[in-house]
Amino acid sequence: MAGILAAIKLKEAGLADFTVYEKADRLGGTWRENTYPGLSCDVPSHLYCYSFALNPGWSHLYSPGPEIEAYFERVAHDHGVVPHVRFGDEVTACVFVDGRWQLTTAGGVHDEVDVVIAATGVLHHPKYPDIRGLDSFGGAVFHSARWDHGVALDGARVGIIGTGSTAMQIVSAIVDRTGKLSLFQRTAQWVMPAVNPAYTPDEQTAFRQDPLLMEGLRDSVAQLFDHFSDGIVDSRSPEMAMIEKFCLDNLESSVSDPDLRERLRPDYRAACKRLIVSTDFYEAIQKPGAELVTDAIDGVEPGGVRTADGRLHELDVLVLATGFKVDAFVRPITVVGRGSVDLGQVWVDRPEAYLSISVPDFPNFFMLNGPNGPVGNFSLVEVAELQIGYIMQLIDRLRSGGGRQISATADAMARFESARVEAAKNTIWATGCRSWYLDDRGIPAAWPWPFRQFRSEMAEPAWEAYELRD
Ligand code: NAP
Protein backbone atom coordinates (compact mmCIF):
# COMPACT_ATOMS: atom_id res chain seq x y z
CA MET A 1 0.00 0.00 0.00
CA ALA A 2 2.73 2.47 1.00
CA GLY A 3 5.13 1.44 -1.77
CA ILE A 4 2.48 1.84 -4.46
CA LEU A 5 1.67 5.24 -2.99
CA ALA A 6 5.32 6.34 -3.05
CA ALA A 7 5.63 5.26 -6.69
CA ILE A 8 2.56 7.26 -7.67
CA LYS A 9 3.82 10.38 -5.91
CA LEU A 10 7.29 10.09 -7.47
CA LYS A 11 5.70 9.82 -10.90
CA GLU A 12 3.49 12.82 -10.21
CA ALA A 13 6.60 14.81 -9.28
CA GLY A 14 8.20 13.93 -12.61
CA LEU A 15 10.71 11.56 -11.04
CA ALA A 16 10.31 8.64 -13.38
CA ASP A 17 13.66 7.01 -12.69
CA PHE A 18 12.77 4.74 -9.79
CA THR A 19 12.36 1.06 -9.03
CA VAL A 20 9.95 -0.60 -6.64
CA TYR A 21 11.51 -3.73 -5.14
CA GLU A 22 8.89 -6.36 -4.33
CA LYS A 23 10.01 -9.69 -2.94
CA ALA A 24 6.76 -11.45 -3.87
CA ASP A 25 5.45 -12.15 -7.34
CA ARG A 26 2.58 -9.69 -7.06
CA LEU A 27 1.53 -6.54 -5.22
CA GLY A 28 -0.71 -6.27 -2.20
CA GLY A 29 1.46 -6.25 0.94
CA THR A 30 -0.49 -7.21 4.03
CA TRP A 31 -3.57 -7.88 1.88
CA ARG A 32 -1.64 -10.39 -0.18
CA GLU A 33 0.06 -12.06 2.80
CA ASN A 34 -3.07 -12.42 4.90
CA THR A 35 -5.70 -14.68 3.38
CA TYR A 36 -7.33 -16.06 6.51
CA PRO A 37 -11.11 -16.60 6.50
CA GLY A 38 -12.93 -13.47 7.62
CA LEU A 39 -10.07 -11.16 6.60
CA SER A 40 -11.43 -7.65 6.47
CA CYS A 41 -10.43 -4.17 7.54
CA ASP A 42 -12.09 -2.65 10.57
CA VAL A 43 -11.39 0.86 9.28
CA PRO A 44 -14.29 1.98 7.05
CA SER A 45 -13.34 1.39 3.42
CA HIS A 46 -14.01 4.94 2.30
CA LEU A 47 -11.23 6.02 4.69
CA TYR A 48 -8.99 2.99 4.10
CA CYS A 49 -8.12 4.03 0.55
CA TYR A 50 -6.06 6.71 -1.16
CA SER A 51 -7.55 10.22 -1.08
CA PHE A 52 -6.76 10.58 -4.79
CA ALA A 53 -8.36 7.27 -5.78
CA LEU A 54 -11.69 7.12 -3.98
CA ASN A 55 -13.63 3.99 -4.78
CA PRO A 56 -17.36 4.20 -5.45
CA GLY A 57 -17.53 0.41 -5.70
CA TRP A 58 -16.76 -0.54 -2.08
CA SER A 59 -19.16 -3.34 -1.27
CA HIS A 60 -19.45 -2.70 2.47
CA LEU A 61 -18.79 -0.16 5.16
CA TYR A 62 -15.93 -2.52 6.17
CA SER A 63 -15.01 -4.35 2.97
CA PRO A 64 -13.39 -7.79 2.87
CA GLY A 65 -9.65 -8.30 2.41
CA PRO A 66 -9.65 -9.64 -1.18
CA GLU A 67 -11.60 -6.57 -2.30
CA ILE A 68 -9.03 -4.30 -0.65
CA GLU A 69 -6.16 -6.19 -2.27
CA ALA A 70 -7.88 -5.88 -5.68
CA TYR A 71 -8.31 -2.15 -5.08
CA PHE A 72 -4.58 -1.60 -4.45
CA GLU A 73 -3.63 -3.69 -7.48
CA ARG A 74 -6.07 -1.75 -9.65
CA VAL A 75 -4.77 1.63 -8.50
CA ALA A 76 -1.20 0.47 -9.15
CA HIS A 77 -2.16 -0.55 -12.69
CA ASP A 78 -4.17 2.60 -13.35
CA HIS A 79 -1.27 4.82 -12.26
CA GLY A 80 1.37 3.02 -14.27
CA VAL A 81 3.24 1.71 -11.24
CA VAL A 82 3.57 -1.92 -12.35
CA PRO A 83 6.24 -1.38 -15.04
CA HIS A 84 8.46 0.07 -12.30
CA VAL A 85 8.22 -2.99 -10.07
CA ARG A 86 10.94 -5.62 -9.92
CA PHE A 87 9.05 -8.67 -8.67
CA GLY A 88 10.32 -11.78 -6.96
CA ASP A 89 13.58 -10.41 -5.60
CA GLU A 90 14.25 -9.37 -2.03
CA VAL A 91 16.44 -6.45 -1.02
CA THR A 92 19.05 -7.75 1.42
CA ALA A 93 21.28 -4.71 1.92
CA CYS A 94 21.33 -0.92 1.53
CA VAL A 95 24.77 0.60 2.08
CA PHE A 96 25.56 4.32 1.85
CA VAL A 97 28.81 4.73 -0.08
CA ASP A 98 30.19 8.02 -1.41
CA GLY A 99 26.88 9.83 -1.11
CA ARG A 100 24.71 7.15 -2.74
CA TRP A 101 22.85 4.06 -1.59
CA GLN A 102 24.05 0.73 -2.94
CA LEU A 103 21.27 -1.83 -2.95
CA THR A 104 21.83 -5.56 -3.12
CA THR A 105 19.13 -8.14 -3.68
CA ALA A 106 18.99 -11.84 -2.90
CA GLY A 107 19.00 -12.46 -6.64
CA GLY A 108 22.41 -10.78 -6.92
CA VAL A 109 21.28 -7.45 -8.40
CA HIS A 110 23.39 -4.41 -7.43
CA ASP A 111 21.78 -1.00 -7.92
CA GLU A 112 22.91 2.47 -6.95
CA VAL A 113 20.33 5.09 -6.02
CA ASP A 114 20.16 8.58 -4.51
CA VAL A 115 17.14 8.03 -2.29
CA VAL A 116 15.65 4.99 -0.57
CA ILE A 117 12.04 4.95 0.60
CA ALA A 118 11.46 1.98 2.91
CA ALA A 119 7.83 0.90 2.70
CA THR A 120 8.30 -2.50 4.26
CA GLY A 121 5.31 -2.48 6.58
CA VAL A 122 4.79 -2.90 10.30
CA LEU A 123 2.89 -6.16 10.80
CA HIS A 124 5.05 -8.14 8.46
CA HIS A 125 6.98 -10.97 10.14
CA PRO A 126 4.80 -13.54 11.93
CA LYS A 127 5.49 -14.11 15.62
CA TYR A 128 5.32 -17.77 16.57
CA PRO A 129 4.52 -18.55 20.21
CA ASP A 130 7.04 -20.28 22.41
CA ILE A 131 4.82 -23.15 23.51
CA ARG A 132 6.21 -26.47 24.69
CA GLY A 133 5.67 -29.28 22.19
CA LEU A 134 4.31 -27.10 19.39
CA ASP A 135 6.38 -29.00 16.83
CA SER A 136 4.93 -32.30 17.98
CA PHE A 137 1.35 -31.48 16.94
CA GLY A 138 -0.02 -34.28 14.76
CA GLY A 139 -2.50 -32.17 12.79
CA ALA A 140 -2.06 -29.08 10.63
CA VAL A 141 -0.56 -26.04 12.33
CA PHE A 142 0.03 -22.64 10.75
CA HIS A 143 0.22 -18.92 11.54
CA SER A 144 -2.78 -16.76 10.63
CA ALA A 145 -0.64 -14.85 8.09
CA ARG A 146 0.46 -18.13 6.45
CA TRP A 147 -2.98 -19.69 6.10
CA ASP A 148 -2.89 -23.17 4.59
CA HIS A 149 -5.90 -23.30 2.29
CA GLY A 150 -5.22 -26.98 1.58
CA VAL A 151 -6.38 -27.87 5.09
CA ALA A 152 -10.06 -28.77 5.37
CA LEU A 153 -11.98 -26.93 8.07
CA ASP A 154 -15.42 -28.38 7.46
CA GLY A 155 -16.29 -30.62 10.37
CA ALA A 156 -12.76 -30.36 11.75
CA ARG A 157 -11.76 -29.70 15.36
CA VAL A 158 -9.99 -26.36 15.11
CA GLY A 159 -8.05 -24.55 17.85
CA ILE A 160 -7.15 -20.87 17.61
CA ILE A 161 -4.50 -19.38 19.87
CA GLY A 162 -4.89 -15.64 20.40
CA THR A 163 -7.68 -13.12 20.76
CA GLY A 164 -6.34 -10.18 18.74
CA SER A 165 -8.19 -8.55 15.83
CA THR A 166 -7.10 -11.43 13.59
CA ALA A 167 -8.36 -14.26 15.78
CA MET A 168 -11.69 -12.55 16.35
CA GLN A 169 -12.30 -12.25 12.61
CA ILE A 170 -11.36 -15.91 12.05
CA VAL A 171 -13.67 -17.18 14.82
CA SER A 172 -16.69 -15.42 13.36
CA ALA A 173 -15.87 -16.63 9.84
CA ILE A 174 -15.36 -20.33 10.53
CA VAL A 175 -17.48 -21.22 13.54
CA ASP A 176 -20.36 -22.49 11.39
CA ARG A 177 -18.07 -24.76 9.38
CA THR A 178 -15.98 -26.43 12.04
CA GLY A 179 -16.98 -29.52 13.97
CA LYS A 180 -15.61 -27.91 17.12
CA LEU A 181 -13.87 -24.58 17.57
CA SER A 182 -11.70 -23.93 20.63
CA LEU A 183 -10.52 -20.37 21.18
CA PHE A 184 -7.54 -20.22 23.54
CA GLN A 185 -7.79 -16.86 25.27
CA ARG A 186 -4.87 -15.60 27.34
CA THR A 187 -6.36 -12.12 27.73
CA ALA A 188 -9.99 -11.06 27.35
CA GLN A 189 -10.65 -8.29 24.86
CA TRP A 190 -12.77 -5.18 24.76
CA VAL A 191 -15.13 -5.54 21.83
CA MET A 192 -16.63 -2.47 20.21
CA PRO A 193 -19.97 -3.29 18.57
CA ALA A 194 -20.31 -2.53 14.88
CA VAL A 195 -22.64 -2.97 11.96
CA ASN A 196 -21.40 -3.67 8.47
CA PRO A 197 -24.08 -2.75 5.94
CA ALA A 198 -23.54 -3.43 2.24
CA TYR A 199 -23.68 -0.42 -0.08
CA THR A 200 -26.65 -0.75 -2.39
CA PRO A 201 -26.20 -0.44 -6.17
CA ASP A 202 -28.03 2.91 -5.93
CA GLU A 203 -25.59 4.18 -3.34
CA GLN A 204 -22.64 3.04 -5.45
CA THR A 205 -24.11 4.80 -8.49
CA ALA A 206 -24.59 7.97 -6.45
CA PHE A 207 -20.91 7.79 -5.32
CA ARG A 208 -19.86 7.37 -8.94
CA GLN A 209 -21.93 10.31 -10.14
CA ASP A 210 -21.04 12.63 -7.30
CA PRO A 211 -17.60 11.99 -5.75
CA LEU A 212 -18.32 14.74 -3.23
CA LEU A 213 -20.58 12.23 -1.49
CA MET A 214 -17.58 9.93 -0.95
CA GLU A 215 -15.46 12.83 0.20
CA GLY A 216 -18.14 13.85 2.70
CA LEU A 217 -18.37 10.32 4.03
CA ARG A 218 -14.59 10.08 4.27
CA ASP A 219 -14.37 13.38 6.12
CA SER A 220 -17.01 12.41 8.64
CA VAL A 221 -15.29 9.08 9.36
CA ALA A 222 -11.93 10.86 9.63
CA GLN A 223 -13.45 13.25 12.18
CA LEU A 224 -14.65 10.32 14.26
CA PHE A 225 -11.14 8.88 14.23
CA ASP A 226 -9.76 12.28 15.25
CA HIS A 227 -12.03 12.21 18.32
CA PHE A 228 -10.83 8.70 19.03
CA SER A 229 -7.21 9.85 18.80
CA ASP A 230 -7.94 12.75 21.19
CA GLY A 231 -9.23 10.14 23.61
CA ILE A 232 -6.50 7.51 23.47
CA VAL A 233 -3.71 10.00 24.12
CA ASP A 234 -5.41 11.05 27.36
CA SER A 235 -6.42 8.06 29.45
CA ARG A 236 -8.68 10.26 31.62
CA SER A 237 -10.62 11.64 28.65
CA PRO A 238 -14.41 11.43 28.36
CA GLU A 239 -13.94 9.70 24.98
CA MET A 240 -12.24 6.79 26.72
CA ALA A 241 -15.00 6.54 29.29
CA MET A 242 -17.56 6.51 26.48
CA ILE A 243 -15.76 3.78 24.54
CA GLU A 244 -15.52 1.69 27.69
CA LYS A 245 -19.26 2.09 28.25
CA PHE A 246 -20.10 1.08 24.65
CA CYS A 247 -17.97 -2.04 25.00
CA LEU A 248 -19.35 -2.95 28.44
CA ASP A 249 -22.93 -2.52 27.24
CA ASN A 250 -22.05 -4.73 24.29
CA LEU A 251 -20.73 -7.46 26.60
CA GLU A 252 -23.71 -7.23 28.96
CA SER A 253 -26.34 -7.25 26.24
CA SER A 254 -24.74 -9.81 23.94
CA VAL A 255 -23.51 -12.58 26.24
CA SER A 256 -26.25 -14.34 28.12
CA ASP A 257 -24.36 -16.96 30.14
CA PRO A 258 -23.02 -15.22 33.29
CA ASP A 259 -19.97 -17.50 33.56
CA LEU A 260 -18.96 -16.94 29.93
CA ARG A 261 -19.62 -13.21 30.31
CA GLU A 262 -17.21 -13.01 33.26
CA ARG A 263 -14.54 -14.92 31.38
CA LEU A 264 -14.92 -12.49 28.47
CA ARG A 265 -14.72 -9.45 30.76
CA PRO A 266 -11.37 -7.63 30.45
CA ASP A 267 -9.59 -6.53 33.64
CA TYR A 268 -7.79 -3.53 32.13
CA ARG A 269 -8.85 -0.28 30.45
CA ALA A 270 -10.67 -0.32 27.10
CA ALA A 271 -8.39 0.50 24.12
CA CYS A 272 -5.25 -0.20 26.19
CA LYS A 273 -4.75 -3.05 23.72
CA ARG A 274 -5.95 -2.44 20.19
CA LEU A 275 -9.71 -2.25 20.35
CA ILE A 276 -11.56 -5.09 18.65
CA VAL A 277 -14.31 -3.91 16.31
CA SER A 278 -16.72 -6.73 15.60
CA THR A 279 -20.25 -7.22 14.41
CA ASP A 280 -20.56 -10.79 15.60
CA PHE A 281 -17.73 -12.13 17.77
CA TYR A 282 -19.91 -12.52 20.88
CA GLU A 283 -22.59 -14.25 18.84
CA ALA A 284 -19.99 -16.60 17.32
CA ILE A 285 -18.38 -17.63 20.60
CA GLN A 286 -21.79 -18.54 22.03
CA LYS A 287 -22.59 -20.98 19.24
CA PRO A 288 -22.93 -24.62 20.31
CA GLY A 289 -19.76 -25.71 18.46
CA ALA A 290 -17.58 -23.00 20.02
CA GLU A 291 -15.67 -23.10 23.28
CA LEU A 292 -13.77 -20.30 24.99
CA VAL A 293 -10.80 -21.86 26.76
CA THR A 294 -9.39 -19.64 29.47
CA ASP A 295 -7.16 -22.12 31.28
CA ALA A 296 -3.54 -21.39 30.44
CA ILE A 297 -1.91 -23.47 27.73
CA ASP A 298 0.48 -25.96 29.27
CA GLY A 299 1.77 -27.42 26.04
CA VAL A 300 0.95 -28.91 22.67
CA GLU A 301 0.88 -32.66 22.13
CA PRO A 302 0.35 -34.77 19.01
CA GLY A 303 -3.37 -34.95 19.81
CA GLY A 304 -4.02 -31.31 20.68
CA VAL A 305 -3.49 -28.60 23.28
CA ARG A 306 -3.11 -29.50 26.96
CA THR A 307 -4.22 -26.78 29.37
CA ALA A 308 -3.02 -26.19 32.92
CA ASP A 309 -6.11 -27.89 34.38
CA GLY A 310 -4.83 -31.13 32.83
CA ARG A 311 -7.40 -31.29 30.04
CA LEU A 312 -6.41 -32.28 26.51
CA HIS A 313 -8.30 -30.28 23.86
CA GLU A 314 -8.25 -32.68 20.94
CA LEU A 315 -7.66 -30.90 17.63
CA ASP A 316 -7.17 -31.54 13.92
CA VAL A 317 -6.04 -28.00 13.10
CA LEU A 318 -4.20 -25.42 15.19
CA VAL A 319 -4.17 -21.76 14.09
CA LEU A 320 -1.56 -19.46 15.62
CA ALA A 321 -3.16 -16.01 15.57
CA THR A 322 -0.30 -14.80 17.72
CA GLY A 323 0.65 -11.56 16.00
CA PHE A 324 3.81 -10.14 14.48
CA LYS A 325 7.38 -9.13 15.31
CA VAL A 326 6.46 -5.49 15.37
CA ASP A 327 9.88 -4.01 16.02
CA ALA A 328 11.53 -5.34 12.87
CA PHE A 329 10.52 -2.58 10.42
CA VAL A 330 13.06 -2.62 7.55
CA ARG A 331 15.04 -5.43 9.16
CA PRO A 332 16.28 -8.08 8.33
CA ILE A 333 17.62 -5.86 5.51
CA THR A 334 21.14 -4.74 6.44
CA VAL A 335 21.16 -0.95 6.35
CA VAL A 336 24.51 0.80 6.73
CA GLY A 337 24.53 4.58 6.76
CA ARG A 338 27.11 7.36 6.70
CA GLY A 339 30.34 6.52 8.53
CA SER A 340 29.50 2.80 8.38
CA VAL A 341 26.81 3.19 11.04
CA ASP A 342 24.72 0.01 11.08
CA LEU A 343 20.98 0.49 11.61
CA GLY A 344 20.86 -2.85 13.44
CA GLN A 345 23.30 -1.37 15.98
CA VAL A 346 21.47 1.97 16.20
CA TRP A 347 18.28 0.02 16.86
CA VAL A 348 19.84 -2.62 19.06
CA ASP A 349 17.54 -1.68 21.97
CA ARG A 350 14.53 -0.57 19.96
CA PRO A 351 13.76 1.17 16.67
CA GLU A 352 13.53 4.96 16.70
CA ALA A 353 13.18 7.55 13.98
CA TYR A 354 12.63 11.28 13.93
CA LEU A 355 8.90 11.73 13.29
CA SER A 356 8.96 8.07 12.24
CA ILE A 357 10.63 9.07 8.97
CA SER A 358 14.36 9.79 9.23
CA VAL A 359 17.29 8.47 11.30
CA PRO A 360 20.42 10.61 11.86
CA ASP A 361 23.35 9.48 9.69
CA PHE A 362 21.06 7.65 7.29
CA PRO A 363 20.81 10.40 4.66
CA ASN A 364 18.13 10.20 1.99
CA PHE A 365 16.71 7.09 3.68
CA PHE A 366 13.07 7.69 4.50
CA MET A 367 10.47 5.39 6.02
CA LEU A 368 6.74 5.06 5.47
CA ASN A 369 4.91 3.65 8.49
CA GLY A 370 8.23 3.51 10.29
CA PRO A 371 8.84 3.32 14.06
CA ASN A 372 6.74 5.37 16.52
CA GLY A 373 4.22 6.58 13.96
CA PRO A 374 0.47 6.59 14.49
CA VAL A 375 -0.96 3.12 14.98
CA GLY A 376 -4.10 2.13 16.79
CA ASN A 377 -7.37 1.94 14.98
CA PHE A 378 -6.33 4.51 12.32
CA SER A 379 -6.10 4.22 8.55
CA LEU A 380 -2.46 3.50 7.79
CA VAL A 381 -3.23 4.67 4.24
CA GLU A 382 -3.97 8.14 5.54
CA VAL A 383 -0.82 8.01 7.68
CA ALA A 384 1.33 6.99 4.69
CA GLU A 385 -0.18 9.72 2.50
CA LEU A 386 0.74 12.39 5.04
CA GLN A 387 4.24 10.92 5.34
CA ILE A 388 4.89 10.75 1.60
CA GLY A 389 3.82 14.40 1.26
CA TYR A 390 6.49 15.24 3.83
CA ILE A 391 9.13 12.99 2.24
CA MET A 392 8.52 14.58 -1.16
CA GLN A 393 9.41 17.92 0.40
CA LEU A 394 12.71 16.46 1.66
CA ILE A 395 13.39 15.14 -1.83
CA ASP A 396 12.51 18.54 -3.34
CA ARG A 397 15.07 20.11 -1.05
CA LEU A 398 17.69 17.74 -2.47
CA ARG A 399 16.58 18.52 -6.01
CA SER A 400 16.74 22.25 -5.44
CA GLY A 401 20.49 21.92 -4.91
CA GLY A 402 20.80 22.86 -1.24
CA GLY A 403 22.82 19.71 -0.63
CA ARG A 404 23.00 16.06 -1.64
CA GLN A 405 22.44 14.38 1.72
CA ILE A 406 19.57 15.08 4.09
CA SER A 407 18.77 13.43 7.41
CA ALA A 408 17.42 14.41 10.80
CA THR A 409 19.97 15.82 13.22
CA ALA A 410 20.91 13.81 16.30
CA ASP A 411 19.63 16.68 18.41
CA ALA A 412 16.20 16.72 16.72
CA MET A 413 15.99 12.95 17.13
CA ALA A 414 16.86 13.10 20.84
CA ARG A 415 14.40 15.91 21.56
CA PHE A 416 11.62 14.18 19.65
CA GLU A 417 12.26 10.91 21.42
CA SER A 418 12.26 12.36 24.93
CA ALA A 419 9.05 14.34 24.26
CA ARG A 420 7.44 11.24 22.75
CA VAL A 421 8.33 9.00 25.69
CA GLU A 422 7.03 11.60 28.15
CA ALA A 423 3.74 12.04 26.29
CA ALA A 424 3.33 8.27 25.90
CA LYS A 425 2.94 7.95 29.67
CA ASN A 426 -0.44 9.75 29.54
CA THR A 427 -1.92 7.54 26.86
CA ILE A 428 -4.45 4.79 27.33
CA TRP A 429 -1.82 2.27 26.13
CA ALA A 430 0.19 2.92 29.30
CA THR A 431 -2.62 2.07 31.72
CA GLY A 432 -1.52 -1.49 32.42
CA CYS A 433 -1.98 -4.24 29.87
CA ARG A 434 0.19 -6.39 27.62
CA SER A 435 0.11 -5.34 23.97
CA TRP A 436 2.21 -5.04 20.86
CA TYR A 437 2.11 -1.25 21.29
CA LEU A 438 4.58 -1.49 24.19
CA ASP A 439 8.34 -1.49 23.68
CA ASP A 440 10.91 -3.49 25.65
CA ARG A 441 10.62 -0.93 28.52
CA GLY A 442 6.83 -1.13 28.58
CA ILE A 443 6.53 2.33 26.98
CA PRO A 444 3.97 2.72 24.19
CA ALA A 445 5.91 2.90 20.92
CA ALA A 446 3.23 4.80 19.00
CA TRP A 447 2.54 8.45 18.20
CA PRO A 448 1.31 9.75 21.59
CA TRP A 449 -0.30 13.02 20.51
CA PRO A 450 -3.61 13.78 18.78
CA PHE A 451 -3.76 12.78 15.13
CA ARG A 452 -4.26 16.39 14.05
CA GLN A 453 -0.83 17.15 15.53
CA PHE A 454 0.62 14.47 13.27
CA ARG A 455 -1.17 16.09 10.35
CA SER A 456 0.33 19.49 11.15
CA GLU A 457 3.85 18.05 11.68
CA MET A 458 3.61 16.37 8.30
CA ALA A 459 2.46 19.54 6.53
CA GLU A 460 6.01 20.88 6.24
CA PRO A 461 9.35 19.75 7.67
CA ALA A 462 10.83 21.87 10.46
CA TRP A 463 13.98 22.48 8.47
CA GLU A 464 16.13 23.19 11.51
CA ALA A 465 15.63 19.53 12.45
CA TYR A 466 17.50 18.45 9.32
CA GLU A 467 21.10 18.48 8.30
CA LEU A 468 21.99 19.02 4.66
CA ARG A 469 25.42 18.03 3.39
CA ASP A 470 27.10 17.86 0.03
P1 NAP B 1 -2.06 -9.42 18.21
O1 NAP B 1 -3.01 -8.30 18.37
O2 NAP B 1 -0.64 -9.20 18.55
O3 NAP B 1 -2.65 -10.61 19.07
C1 NAP B 1 -1.93 -11.77 19.33
C2 NAP B 1 -2.75 -12.67 20.23
O4 NAP B 1 -2.03 -13.87 20.45
C3 NAP B 1 -3.03 -12.06 21.59
O5 NAP B 1 -4.33 -12.37 21.99
C4 NAP B 1 -2.01 -12.75 22.50
O6 NAP B 1 -2.40 -12.85 23.83
C5 NAP B 1 -1.98 -14.12 21.85
N1 NAP B 1 -0.77 -14.85 22.14
C6 NAP B 1 0.49 -14.58 21.69
N2 NAP B 1 1.35 -15.49 22.16
C7 NAP B 1 0.63 -16.35 22.93
C8 NAP B 1 0.94 -17.50 23.70
N3 NAP B 1 2.20 -17.94 23.79
N4 NAP B 1 -0.05 -18.12 24.36
C9 NAP B 1 -1.31 -17.66 24.27
N5 NAP B 1 -1.68 -16.59 23.57
C10 NAP B 1 -0.72 -15.93 22.91
O7 NAP B 1 -2.07 -10.03 16.72
P2 NAP B 1 -3.20 -9.93 15.57
O8 NAP B 1 -4.52 -10.33 16.10
O9 NAP B 1 -2.66 -10.65 14.41
O10 NAP B 1 -3.31 -8.41 15.28
C11 NAP B 1 -2.14 -7.63 15.07
C12 NAP B 1 -2.55 -6.30 14.54
O11 NAP B 1 -2.90 -6.45 13.17
C13 NAP B 1 -3.77 -5.68 15.14
O12 NAP B 1 -3.57 -5.10 16.39
C14 NAP B 1 -4.10 -4.68 14.08
O13 NAP B 1 -3.27 -3.55 14.16
C15 NAP B 1 -3.81 -5.47 12.82
N6 NAP B 1 -5.04 -6.08 12.33
C16 NAP B 1 -5.96 -5.24 11.85
C17 NAP B 1 -7.15 -5.75 11.39
C18 NAP B 1 -8.15 -4.79 10.86
O14 NAP B 1 -9.27 -5.17 10.67
N7 NAP B 1 -7.78 -3.52 10.62
C19 NAP B 1 -7.40 -7.11 11.43
C20 NAP B 1 -6.43 -7.95 11.92
C21 NAP B 1 -5.25 -7.42 12.37
P3 NAP B 1 -2.24 -11.61 24.86
O15 NAP B 1 -3.31 -10.63 24.47
O16 NAP B 1 -2.41 -12.19 26.18
O17 NAP B 1 -0.86 -11.05 24.63
Side-chain angles (χ1 to χ4, degrees):
M1 171 278 287
I4 294 166
L5 169 69
I8 292 170
K9 294 295 164 185
L10 287 168
K11 279 189 77 155
E12 269 176 22
L15 289 161
D17 186 10
F18 66 86
T19 302
V20 180
Y21 298 86
E22 169 56 68
K23 68 180 173 182
D25 58 2
R26 61 196 174 87
L27 299 173
T30 201
W31 302 103
R32 180 199 60 228
E33 299 288 294
N34 286 277
T35 60
Y36 61 77
L39 175 72
S40 124
C41 183
D42 62 14
V43 176
S45 302
H46 280 281
L47 186 62
Y48 194 86
C49 60
Y50 302 122
S51 61
F52 54 85
L54 301 183
N55 176 21
W58 288 124
S59 67
H60 288 79
L61 180 60
Y62 304 102
S63 299
E67 194 178 322
I68 300 170
E69 184 191 7
Y71 164 82
F72 286 121
E73 285 198 294
R74 192 169 64 243
V75 175
H77 279 276
D78 291 351
H79 287 76
V81 171
V82 180
H84 289 269
V85 186
R86 190 201 302 263
F87 287 102
D89 199 4
E90 183 169 355
V91 175
T92 53
C94 302
V95 182
F96 195 69
V97 181
D98 294 334
R100 300 192 86 200
W101 284 99
Q102 295 185 351
L103 266 62
T104 308
T105 70
V109 170
H110 297 281
D111 278 346
E112 205 171 281
V113 301
D114 296 309
V115 171
V116 176
I117 298 175
T120 47
V122 190
L123 302 159
H124 182 164
H125 302 286
K127 192 168 93 193
Y128 289 85
D130 184 13
I131 297 177
R132 184 183 58 77
L134 188 56
D135 289 344
S136 71
F137 184 57
V141 55
F142 47 83
H143 189 274
S144 57
R146 299 285 180 270
W147 196 272
D148 185 344
H149 290 275
V151 173
L153 298 178
D154 294 327
R157 297 165 302 176
V158 178
I160 301 175
I161 299 180
T163 50
S165 303
T166 302
M168 305 307 234
Q169 292 183 343
I170 296 170
V171 168
S172 301
I174 68 173
V175 67
D176 289 333
R177 297 172 54 191
T178 53
K180 170 91 199 278
L181 189 151
S182 308
L183 177 64
F184 295 91
Q185 168 185 288
R186 186 165 68 180
T187 310
Q189 287 278 12
W190 289 97
V191 182
M192 188 76 167
V195 289
N196 190 18
Y199 289 111
T200 64
D202 284 352
E203 284 171 318
Q204 290 172 334
T205 304
F207 286 144
R208 223 164 255 123
Q209 289 169 346
D210 183 5
L212 284 179
L213 286 176
M214 283 185 285
E215 277 171 32
L217 184 58
R218 187 181 166 89
D219 286 351
S220 56
V221 177
Q223 273 176 28
L224 270 179
F225 277 80
D226 275 8
H227 283 308
F228 178 70
S229 85
D230 292 345
I232 48 181
V233 297
D234 174 6
S235 58
R236 295 170 304 275
S237 63
E239 286 90 350
M240 284 297 98
M242 202 169 76
I243 285 172
E244 197 152 314
K245 183 173 176 341
F246 275 147
C247 295
L248 265 184
D249 289 351
N250 188 26
L251 176 67
E252 300 293 343
S253 62
S254 310
V255 183
S256 51
D257 173 41
D259 172 57
L260 180 64
R261 199 189 307 138
E262 288 323 301
R263 292 193 298 129
L264 286 167
R265 190 185 299 277
D267 59 1
Y268 55 91
R269 300 275 316 269
C272 181
K273 293 159 94 73
R274 187 183 195 273
L275 206 56
I276 306 296
V277 181
S278 178
T279 56
D280 53 3
F281 168 70
Y282 284 147
E283 188 191 329
I285 199 65
Q286 294 178 88
K287 293 203 169 174
E291 182 183 0
L292 180 77
V293 181
T294 47
D295 289 296
I297 295 174
D298 184 37
V300 176
E301 300 175 10
V305 170
R306 174 104 38 202
T307 42
D309 58 347
R311 188 174 153 204
L312 178 67
H313 300 261
E314 289 182 292
L315 300 170
D316 305 306
V317 182
L318 183 57
V319 178
L320 309 172
T322 46
F324 298 85
K325 293 177 194 159
V326 294
D327 61 353
F329 292 98
V330 291
R331 295 173 288 184
I333 299 174
T334 300
V335 184
V336 180
R338 193 164 49 209
S340 303
V341 183
D342 186 328
L343 192 64
Q345 281 305 310
V346 176
W347 284 359
V348 70
D349 292 327
R350 68 199 67 91
E352 293 173 354
Y354 172 66
L355 288 177
S356 149
I357 282 181
S358 172
V359 181
D361 287 325
F362 291 80
N364 311 350
F365 184 94
F366 310 124
M367 286 174 283
L368 290 171
N369 287 313
N372 311 131
V375 290
N377 293 62
F378 301 120
S379 163
L380 284 188
V381 186
E382 193 186 6
V383 171
E385 272 198 56
L386 292 164
Q387 291 174 327
I388 195 68
Y390 181 101
I391 290 170
M392 291 309 297
Q393 295 180 64
L394 299 177
I395 294 174
D396 279 349
R397 185 53 69 101
L398 294 172
R399 292 168 85 194
S400 67
R404 291 196 306 130
Q405 304 179 25
I406 191 165
S407 55
T409 64
D411 184 47
M413 175 73 236
R415 275 188 289 114
F416 170 73
E417 193 52 16
S418 79
R420 191 190 66 73
V421 165
E422 207 41 45
K425 294 175 185 161
N426 301 324
T427 64
I428 193 74
W429 307 309
T431 52
C433 66
R434 173 178 43 213
S435 86
W436 68 262
Y437 294 157
L438 302 179
D439 69 15
D440 58 304
R441 304 164 292 183
I443 292 174
W447 180 261
W449 299 286
F451 196 79
R452 67 177 70 85
Q453 189 170 332
F454 180 71
R455 244 185 237 118
S456 65
E457 286 283 2
M458 289 297 104
E460 191 190 350
W463 294 108
E464 66 279 9
Y466 284 90
E467 181 189 20
L468 261 167
R469 284 198 204 170
D470 270 336

